Amino acid sequence: MPHPEPQPLPFPLTDTPPPEDLEAGRKLFAGDVDFVKGVVAISGLPPADRIEVCFAGRSNVGKSSLINALTGRKSLARTSNTPGRTQEINYFDVGGQLFLVDLPGYGYAEAPVNIVKQWQALLKAYLSGRVTLRRAFVLIDMRHGIKAVDAEIMDLLNKSAVTFQVVLTKADKISKTEQERTLKQVRETLQKHPAAYPEILVTSSEKGDGVATLRALIATMQ
């Protein structure tokens, strides 16, 4: 009696892109990447004249480090030891072709309640109304997996009909066994989110793992 074919895992890891996509990503981010502006109100958004991708994540998830690795700049995105210090939506122009958008870190306990409310309102307005937004990359620390505050952002992305892809950060900080444990939890959680893109990307800003793949994904996005 033949053995049944093993079922593919839900939310598989993103495959290494073909060479032409990797080269497109390399060329895109080897060009100019310039800070455009920090936006504190929805009226301050730049014209929606090109596609954009945004990066969201808990404070201290390694978002600034990943953006700096992605762009090959050491200090393009500001890192801070104080969670939640950056309260703006930061826009970067990548080669005149797309906007890379750095959303404020969420899940911080130290920020005043009124600041958190303002940030939440700005985020909701941005996500629900930005027609050129192609994908949100939701960064999850691979050591900790998806927490309740991450699930809240994913719920907001579901309601806003914005496709989001989970990018696991700091993969170099834990063992393969611990990585598999996190992947299991992430896969189970993502099945509850209809807006989730059906692949997971594992990265390490320190080691460079997954960075070329992320560049290629962004460069080939239509």
Side-chain angles (χ1 to χ4, degrees):
M1 191 173 173
H3 290 291
E5 287 289 321
Q7 289 299 305
L9 282 169
F11 296 95
L13 301 184
T14 300
D15 287 332
T16 301
E20 60 270 22
D21 290 0
L22 289 170
E23 178 61 11
R26 186 197 67 77
K27 284 174 70 175
L28 176 64
F29 285 97
D32 292 334
V33 181
D34 299 305
F35 177 71
V36 178
K37 66 190 303 191
V39 177
V40 294
I42 211 72
S43 58
L45 290 175
D49 59 1
R50 68 200 75 175
I51 69 168
E52 58 193 65
V53 295
C54 70
F55 287 76
R58 287 196 309 270
S59 297
N60 292 342
V61 75
K63 182 158 55 66
S64 296
S65 298
L66 183 61
I67 291 173
N68 289 336
L70 184 69
T71 58
R73 274 80 174 169
K74 287 187 178 175
S75 57
L76 185 74
R78 291 170 292 175
T79 56
S80 170
N81 291 327
T82 306
R85 176 171 288 174
T86 307
Q87 292 301 312
E88 300 173 345
I89 294 178
N90 288 313
Y91 264 79
F92 300 92
D93 173 22
V94 183
Q97 296 183 48
L98 63 88
F99 284 132
L100 189 157
V101 184
D102 181 12
L103 299 179
Y106 57 79
Y108 38 82
E110 296 173 25
V113 173
N114 64 317
I115 295 292
V116 174
K117 283 184 175 174
Q118 285 174 18
W119 176 82
Q120 287 172 335
L122 178 60
L123 181 67
K124 284 177 183 175
Y126 167 72
L127 291 176
S128 60
R130 196 66 172 171
V131 294
T132 46
L133 178 60
R134 286 294 178 273
R135 189 174 305 173
F137 292 102
V138 178
L139 276 51
I140 303 293
D141 189 324
M142 200 161 194
R143 297 171 299 180
H144 306 307
I146 295 174
K147 295 195 170 184
V149 70
D150 299 310
E152 285 176 24
I153 293 295
M154 292 173 186
D155 284 338
L156 177 56
L157 289 159
N158 292 334
K159 289 170 187 166
S160 305
V162 174
T163 300
F164 71 87
Q165 182 168 4
V166 163
V167 177
L168 293 166
T169 62
K170 306 187 183 183
D172 58 300
K173 306 294 185 190
I174 59 174
S175 69
K176 288 291 183 188
T177 303
E178 291 169 313
Q179 287 186 21
E180 287 303 324
R181 193 176 302 129
T182 299
L183 281 167
K184 183 174 184 293
Q185 185 254 2
V186 170
R187 285 174 171 132
E188 288 172 353
T189 305
L190 288 181
Q191 290 181 68
K192 304 167 190 167
H193 294 280
Y197 187 78
E199 292 177 358
I200 297 167
L201 182 59
V202 175
T203 67
S204 163
S205 300
E206 212 166 279
K207 305 284 187 187
D209 298 345
V211 172
T213 296
L214 184 53
R215 286 180 184 144
L217 289 178
I218 294 171
T220 56
M221 212 166 276
Q222 298 299 319

